[in-house]
Amino acid sequence: MNTEQNVDVAVIGGGPAGLSAAVTLARSLRSVVVVDDGEPRNAPAEDAHNVLGLDGVVPRDLLAAGRAEAERYGARVHEDRAVAARRRGGVFEVDLAVGPTVRARRLLLATGLVDELPAVPGVRELWGRSVLHCAYCHGWEVRGQRIGVLGTGPTSVHQALMFRQLSQDVTLFVHTMPDPDDEAWEHLAALDIRVVDGAVRMLRVDRGVLRAVVLADGHEFPVDAVTVTPRFSARSDLYEQLGGTLTEHPTGAFVAAGPMGRTGLPGVWAAGNTSDLAAMVAAAEGAGVTAATDVNADLVAEDAAGAASARAERYSPA
Ligand SMILES: Cc1cc2nc3c(=O)[nH]c(=O)nc-3n(C[C@H](O)[C@H](O)[C@H](O)COP(=O)(O)OP(=O)(O)OC[C@H]3O[C@@H](n4cnc5c(N)ncnc54)[C@H](O)[C@@H]3O)c2cc1C
């Protein structure tokens, strides 16, 4: 199979996971199509950290370089949206919003996740800049600053402790989170983390700059950065169309996959945030490479078995 729309592997999603998988597969001389509609998760951020050798890389620059590498080895990248997937006989058919249907022997889902943000005015506007979720991604950039933690769930206390490692000025806004237990209170108090009761009405933003957290009662607390805990929801339309179901997790929902990226659906692999809600860029890249090696191994075995039965037929007595 080597025409553009009739390929060994369709990779859905051209983020760090999907493009890494595409490079690995294309370097094994597998015909690969990547379908990507250009909404990588960290696009709102100016730069990415903890990407070894590329610290501070602009997210879209990283992907442009990855795409060029994949294409250099022969992968085809479609800027399009995969809208439907089904299995027909031994192949998968993937319909695109604009382009023609892709037919592939194997499917690798690297569609990432959606960060469902708390519905507080100002949060979406500053998401990825001064509204953060990940201490490892941009914690260093706000070290020593006035950090507000928007409490929305049981993990908000943990987030406050994480950011306290980076700044002595941390305030936990209880907002909608459940009451901390006794042990949590002790930890918060011991580390001088202020706890402010009451619902948050909005973030005060002045010409794109975060100024303060505003409570429903009108009180304002000046801050330089706010942390939130989104619900992480894997993009799973295609997986569900193929008969898969999402696995619930305290922080969201994901496509369950084994260590090599195999899902419960034969012929379907998943990598990156689709199957690991906590994967940062480097982990997503690693998962893409790992899944690609397993997809290739699976195809190698199928090709060898096919060749063996063809040979047996050729040499069998008439
Ligand atoms: C604000 C923010 C900042 C971050 N900063 C960092 C950081 O500094 N360092 C770090 O290591 N990590 C960071 N992360 C985490 C990082 O974004 C993820 O680790 C990474 O994006 C996961 O890669 P992925 O390939 O799994 O998914 P994504 O990067 O989200 O890529 C998925 C791709 O699939 C495409 N897609 C989805 N569905 C379809 C479809 N049906 N058809 C076609 N295309 C589709 C999307 O458009 C997207 O391009 C940050 C996250 C956020 C939210």
Side-chain angles (χ1 to χ4, degrees):
M1 287 189 177
N2 54 10
T3 60
E4 182 179 346
Q5 296 306 130
N6 217 9
V7 291
D8 289 321
V9 189
V11 177
I12 314 301
L19 288 173
S20 298
V23 169
T24 303
L25 288 161
R27 280 177 50 80
S28 291
L29 302 183
R30 291 295 172 191
S31 51
V32 189
V33 157
V34 179
V35 184
D36 184 67
D37 67 356
E39 289 180 28
R41 186 179 167 212
N42 57 348
E46 275 178 14
D47 45 26
H49 298 279
N50 276 318
V51 185
L52 193 65
L54 292 169
D55 184 53
V57 66
V58 176
R60 287 196 189 275
D61 289 354
L62 177 71
L63 297 184
R67 174 176 171 164
E69 286 172 15
E71 288 176 331
R72 196 181 312 143
Y73 289 109
R76 305 284 192 121
V77 181
H78 289 269
E79 291 174 9
D80 207 335
R81 177 159 189 76
V83 290
R86 63 197 158 269
R87 187 194 295 272
R88 200 177 291 283
V91 293
F92 295 95
E93 291 180 349
V94 181
D95 296 336
L96 308 190
V98 179
T101 298
V102 176
R103 300 179 79 244
R105 298 166 67 191
R106 302 289 184 273
L107 198 56
L108 203 164
L109 301 176
T111 44
L113 63 75
V114 174
D115 293 284
E116 294 172 8
L117 298 172
V120 171
V123 164
R124 182 162 298 284
E125 188 182 344
L126 297 179
W127 173 235
R129 294 185 289 135
S130 40
V131 173
L132 313 167
H133 76 296
C134 166
Y136 301 106
C137 302
H138 295 98
W140 195 88
E141 281 62 40
V142 298
R143 70 197 184 287
Q145 296 186 8
R146 296 169 299 179
I147 299 172
V149 177
L150 185 62
T152 49
T155 56
S156 297
V157 169
H158 173 66
Q159 193 174 52
L161 300 180
M162 292 285 289
F163 278 88
R164 178 62 181 79
Q165 165 66 15
L166 296 157
S167 172
Q168 294 183 358
D169 192 336
V170 175
T171 305
L172 172 59
F173 294 91
V174 170
H175 189 48
T176 59
M177 65 180 268
D179 278 343
D181 61 21
D182 290 348
E183 188 185 45
W185 275 118
E186 277 171 31
H187 290 173
L188 293 164
L191 291 170
D192 290 327
I193 296 174
R194 283 180 296 278
V195 179
V196 173
D197 237 337
V200 171
R201 183 199 299 161
M202 59 181 282
L203 305 184
R204 184 166 304 291
V205 183
D206 179 14
R207 277 169 291 187
V209 178
L210 174 62
R211 298 292 181 199
V213 173
V214 184
L215 296 191
D217 65 11
H219 275 88
E220 295 205 10
F221 295 81
V223 290
D224 303 303
V226 162
T227 73
V228 297
T229 308
R231 183 182 143 82
F232 305 125
S233 193
R235 291 197 184 95
S236 60
D237 298 9
L238 303 177
Y239 186 65
E240 290 179 77
Q241 287 170 21
L242 289 163
T245 47
L246 280 182
T247 301
E248 285 297 320
H249 182 270
T251 61
F254 64 101
V255 172
M260 303 300 285
R262 282 184 192 230
T263 72
L265 301 178
V268 182
W269 276 253
N273 281 156
T274 308
S275 50
D276 178 357
L277 302 175
M280 294 169 64
V281 168
E285 290 177 353
V289 171
T290 299
T293 64
D294 201 47
V295 171
N296 184 51
D298 196 47
L299 290 170
V300 164
E302 183 176 275
D303 291 344
S309 60
R311 182 171 185 267
E313 234 169 71
R314 256 197 327 274
Y315 293 109
S316 63

